[in-house]
């Protein structure tokens, strides 16, 4: 059994999709052992409580990046977390934190990286006028929205779209992509060559 720790800051729909897939047996041998938010008002915390999953708030406000990260890492270790899933965690991780969990931290981003890193990726893509966008699940390294890619899903930009309809269709794909990526890192053998994740079997 592998323990997942979820870090989030807001709504938590990606967390909820993962939780549903775990409960339905679609991510075998996985358990969400803890959900941690840096914000007390995160919707994802209420969802975790409703689902009976341990939920912690570790406020980041006014703390140095690494000292907050040390608190988070201690909580993750206490809950015996094997993989850390960032799900709308709107905080940069310190290099110290990243080094604690090499190739064990996953992030989801609502664009086809390396296009449109950073905030409001869906709006960035819409404003740029791309005809195809999507989402990316990747390992976290010390740079923002940057590590080796695990899964990507494409989403066409329709003439009838606005930023909101586009973001909604990307989110549907995010909810599929994240569980697929977790299944891959948990259950498939892979190696990382440069930036490339390569399945071995
Ligand atoms: C998701 O769209 C996720 O891809 C994005 O925040 C949203 C969180 O939604 N993350 C980033 O932009 C990270 N750079 P959720 O709280 O409903 O899962």
């Amino acid at each position: 059994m592998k323990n997942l720790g979820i870090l989030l800051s807001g709504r938590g729909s990606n967390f909820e999709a993962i939780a549903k897939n775990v409960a339905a047996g679609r991510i075998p041998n996985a358990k969400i052992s803890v959900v941690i938010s840096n914000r007390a008002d995160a919707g994802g915390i209420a969802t975790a409580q409703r689902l009976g999953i341990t939920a912690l708030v570790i406020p980041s406000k006014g703390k140095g990046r690494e000292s907050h990260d040390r608190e988070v890492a201690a909580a993750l270790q206490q809950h015996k977390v094997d993989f850390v899933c960032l799900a709308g965690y709107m905080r940069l991780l310190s290099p110290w934190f990243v080094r604690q969990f090499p190739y064990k931290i996953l992030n989801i981003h609502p664009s086809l990286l390396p296009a449109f890193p950073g905030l409001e990726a869906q709006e960035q893509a819409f404003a740029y006028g791309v005809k195809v966008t999507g989402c990316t699940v990747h390992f976290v390294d010390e740079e923002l929205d940057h590590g080796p890619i695990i899964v990507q899903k494409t989403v066409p930009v329709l003439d009838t779209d606005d930023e909101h309809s586009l973001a909604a269709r990307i989110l549907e794909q995010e909810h599929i992509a994240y569980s697929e990526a977790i299944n891959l890192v948990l259950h498939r053998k892979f190696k990382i060559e440069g930036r490339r994740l390569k399945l071995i079997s």
Side-chain angles (χ1 to χ4, degrees), residues 178-197:
Y178 217 148
S179 293
E180 218 174 281
I182 294 169
N183 265 321
L184 192 154
V185 300
L186 252 52
H187 302 302
R188 301 288 301 268
K189 281 199 169 35
F190 63 87
K191 59 182 172 183
I192 306 231
E193 287 178 352
R195 294 190 42 87
R196 296 188 66 80
L197 181 147

Side-chain angles (χ1 to χ4, degrees), residues 5-103:
I6 310 274
L7 302 188
L8 51 77
S9 304
R11 179 177 57 184
S13 74
N14 274 290
F15 150 57
E16 191 168 2
I18 296 165
K20 278 190 181 148
N21 283 334
V22 168
R26 289 191 287 265
I27 310 179
N29 300 316
K31 181 187 166 202
I32 300 177
S33 61
V34 68
V35 175
I36 301 175
S37 171
N38 63 317
R39 297 177 54 116
D41 59 357
I45 287 292
T47 304
Q49 287 163 344
R50 176 163 55 77
L51 296 176
I53 296 171
T54 305
L56 304 177
V57 176
I58 303 182
S60 53
K61 214 170 177 179
K63 286 178 196 153
R65 192 173 302 290
E66 191 175 311
S67 69
H68 178 254
D69 281 358
R70 282 181 186 268
E71 282 182 54
V72 173
L76 292 169
Q77 274 145 8
Q78 205 184 333
H79 289 86
K80 304 201 167 3
V81 163
D82 299 292
F83 288 92
V84 181
C85 301
L86 310 186
Y89 190 59
M90 293 315 200
R91 243 181 105 71
L92 272 177
L93 294 169
S94 60
W96 176 85
F97 186 95
V98 174
R99 284 197 298 270
Q100 302 312 300
F101 302 95
Y103 294 113

Side-chain angles (χ1 to χ4, degrees), residues 105-107 136-140 147-152 177 180-182 184-185 192 197:
I105 311 172
L106 286 66
N107 181 43
T136 303
V137 184
H138 64 94
F139 283 118
V140 170
I149 291 169
I150 306 165
V151 168
Q152 287 187 308
E180 218 174 281
I182 294 169
L184 192 154
V185 300
I192 306 231
L197 181 147

